[in-house]
Amino acid sequence: MNQILKNLENDFDGMSTYEYIVNNVDTCSECMSDLVENLKRVDSTGQFLASSARFLNAVDAEKFAPWLPSLIEGAISKDRERRYIGSLLEAIWGADYMERAQELQLSDDNFRRIYKRIYPTSIV
């Protein structure tokens, strides 16, 4: 495992780390903190941070709950052009997120930050 993580340090955009997570989702939870940190370090656009959050949430939101906020925060920080974070709204908070937007903005800082960027004229 250490050699794999060492190799992923050379990942230049996050794709290799994301692929590793997808291909090893059943066995990588023990090194997930290191994988998330690597993604935060190398993913300059937030694409693979957002993709990882969507994927892990879909696979097992409860199991991967400790790492989802960090992935989402990283995606918010990196995705200045709002290319990827918008997809997190439905994927993480459900298809009815618009109906619950006011409640979610008050209870979840990551939701509020994304919602504010995607819908800048909305007021809580």
Side-chain angles (χ1 to χ4, degrees):
M1 184 61 63
N2 287 339
Q3 187 59 43
I4 292 167
L5 291 172
K6 192 78 161 153
N7 290 341
L8 289 174
E9 287 178 5
N10 297 321
D11 186 0
F12 70 95
D13 64 358
M15 184 172 176
S16 295
T17 304
Y18 172 71
E19 287 178 344
Y20 180 81
I21 292 169
V22 169
N23 293 331
N24 298 281
V25 70
D26 295 328
T27 60
C28 69
S29 59
E30 72 247 10
C31 64
M32 188 58 68
S33 294
D34 293 324
L35 295 168
V36 170
E37 287 305 312
N38 195 57
L39 275 175
K40 288 167 55 178
R41 182 178 59 79
V42 301
D43 184 357
S44 63
T45 64
Q47 176 181 6
F48 298 109
L49 288 157
S51 294
S52 295
R54 287 192 316 268
F55 175 75
L56 293 173
N57 189 70
V59 168
D60 190 337
E62 189 175 317
K63 177 180 178 181
F64 295 107
W67 301 284
L68 291 174
S70 187
L71 288 165
I72 295 167
E73 289 166 10
I76 293 168
S77 295
K78 303 280 182 128
D79 187 10
R80 292 292 171 201
E81 296 179 19
R82 299 181 302 255
R83 288 178 154 173
Y84 311 107
I85 58 173
S87 68
L88 292 171
L89 292 170
E90 185 172 337
I92 303 296
W93 291 281
D96 64 340
Y97 77 88
M98 285 297 284
E99 289 83 35
R100 301 180 308 122
Q102 190 166 5
E103 166 198 335
L104 289 167
Q105 287 183 75
L106 295 172
S107 64
D108 191 310
D109 191 48
N110 282 332
F111 179 87
R112 182 192 58 75
R113 291 175 65 204
I114 294 171
Y115 193 84
K116 187 174 162 181
R117 285 215 191 133
I118 301 301
Y119 305 102
T121 58
S122 295
I123 300 173
V124 176

